[in-house]
Amino acid sequence: MPGRLLRGLRQWWHRYRYRFVPWIALNINHNPRTLRDVPGEAKDKVISDEEVLGALLRLFQALFTHDFPRQREVLTVLPEPVRSKYQDLLSVQPPRAKVLEHRHHQPNTFNPEDVLYETLGFSVARAASSLVSAGRGVFVTKGLARKGAVVSMYPGTVYQKYEPIFFQSIGNPFVFRCLDGVLIDGNDKGISKVVYRSCSGRDRHGPLRMSDSTWLTSEAQNPLAVGQYVNNCSNDRPANVCYQEFDVPPGFPVELKQYLPNTAYSCAQQRPLRCVVLVALRNVGQGEELLSNYYTIVR
């Protein structure tokens, strides 16, 4: 029994030490390949925001059109200029009763991972990590994620520096700190899950969802929303992806916001919604695990 307890504590420490500030301070110079050096907050860009936006719009548009029978209700409450973009699909889709009957006989015909592969040329999924005592990780399961590709997103509730996150952060290894102090809680369990669902439901307008909460379930509609499970690199295995912050622009299509895996904790703020994407630093092939830099030094 004591041996099992010690092994459990050792495994916990191997996972947690990368988030324990005193350990990081003492060991930071011994792990040069696990560091990322950023010249300044404004220069934390591997690719441009326009490229990030383009990749997300391509994927979200494809997810929307592939799942169009379910999206017809969403379009009914949108302005005519938005509906006109999908006029061709509206004209060829069968009546709702036939759609429901068709989906009843052919369940689960919509696979977001397949849409990701068809759209961006690769798919990603969670699986047991190839690193010792690292728990679960994220792998490229099909295709090739080319250098500069957006390979995942970091989901969760977005907190400004002055907003309360004490209780959510207790024993929580999924709190991501942005360069400007904004925090994203990517935990899909416990109080973090409850808070996210509450905030996401609060911002909903009828059938229009302003964020995605399916990443909290086993059937995520946004296949990129797995970034919180990307493990830290090591001296033997350098990072092949990198975090990049991205603020959602005001003109983001309202019908595609349902795929954004982030929601703001406060509804009073007027700031753009903060998202964090992971960008490939090199070509990442099928079967490879995504590895990031947990340590970032901002000059």
Side-chain angles (χ1 to χ4, degrees):
M1 186 66 178
R4 183 183 301 175
L5 178 61
L6 288 175
R7 285 195 298 273
L9 288 173
R10 188 179 298 112
Q11 291 177 355
W12 172 84
W13 170 246
H14 283 318
R15 294 193 300 268
Y16 180 74
R17 60 184 178 178
Y18 299 109
R19 302 180 184 273
F20 186 58
V21 175
W23 185 89
I24 295 173
L26 291 173
N27 290 273
I28 198 166
N29 291 327
H30 301 298
N31 299 276
R33 296 185 70 183
T34 65
L35 300 177
R36 180 174 179 232
D37 197 336
V38 176
E41 290 187 12
K43 299 181 180 179
D44 182 37
K45 302 292 181 184
V46 180
I47 59 176
S48 68
D49 285 347
E50 289 74 18
E51 291 174 284
V52 174
L53 178 62
L56 296 183
L57 288 178
R58 284 175 58 200
L59 175 61
F60 294 177
Q61 189 82 51
L63 291 170
F64 187 88
T65 54
H66 277 75
D67 195 29
F68 198 76
R70 191 174 61 86
Q71 303 298 338
R72 293 172 66 90
E73 183 182 4
V74 172
L75 286 178
T76 60
V77 299
L78 294 176
E80 177 57 34
V82 178
R83 292 202 303 271
S84 64
K85 294 191 299 182
Y86 305 97
Q87 197 60 48
D88 292 342
L89 288 172
L90 282 168
S91 63
V92 299
Q93 290 294 328
R96 182 172 178 79
K98 293 184 178 180
V99 171
L100 292 175
E101 180 182 358
H102 177 74
R103 294 183 70 185
H104 176 74
H105 292 296
Q106 295 187 10
N108 301 322
T109 56
F110 171 63
N111 188 333
E113 287 187 22
D114 290 343
V115 176
L116 174 60
Y117 175 70
E118 294 171 5
T119 307
L120 300 184
F122 65 89
S123 60
V124 293
R126 289 178 291 176
S129 176
S130 59
L131 302 175
V132 178
S133 303
R136 304 187 75 184
V138 179
F139 293 78
V140 174
T141 55
K142 187 190 294 186
L144 175 70
R146 298 191 178 278
K147 180 179 179 180
V150 175
V151 293
S152 60
M153 303 181 71
Y154 200 101
T157 306
V158 181
Y159 294 84
Q160 299 300 318
K161 292 182 286 186
Y162 51 83
E163 292 177 332
I165 194 176
F166 174 77
F167 291 106
Q168 298 93 312
S169 67
I170 296 176
N172 184 356
F174 294 106
V175 178
F176 180 94
R177 185 187 187 278
C178 297
L179 297 178
D180 58 359
V182 170
L183 301 175
I184 301 179
D185 182 5
N187 197 348
D188 56 7
K189 299 179 178 63
I191 188 174
S192 300
K193 180 178 181 178
V194 173
V195 170
Y196 186 93
R197 283 193 182 279
S198 176
C199 295
S200 179
R202 171 202 67 200
D203 296 338
R204 181 166 179 161
H205 301 289
L208 288 176
R209 289 175 293 161
M210 298 295 102
S211 59
D212 173 30
S213 60
T214 62
W215 64 272
L216 298 169
T217 72
S218 60
E219 297 181 356
Q221 67 173 3
N222 178 357
L224 292 180
V226 292
Q228 78 276 39
Y229 282 98
V230 173
N231 283 310
N232 188 44
C233 61
S234 66
N235 284 336
D236 296 329
R237 298 181 60 183
N240 52 24
V241 298
C242 185
Y243 300 104
Q244 179 169 321
E245 298 167 23
F246 171 73
D247 288 339
V248 179
F252 196 87
V254 65
E255 74 275 15
L256 302 183
K257 288 185 176 181
Q258 62 181 296
Y259 300 109
L260 292 171
N262 298 95
T263 188
Y265 177 76
S266 173
C267 62
Q269 61 167 320
Q270 300 299 318
R271 301 169 184 247
L273 179 67
R274 173 66 51 83
C275 291
V276 171
V277 299
L278 285 89
V279 180
L281 295 172
R282 61 169 176 81
N283 290 351
V284 185
Q286 181 174 326
E288 286 194 73
E289 181 173 2
L290 303 183
L291 299 173
S292 64
N293 295 91
Y294 282 6
Y295 311 140
T296 299
I297 299 176
V298 183
R299 301 297 179 183

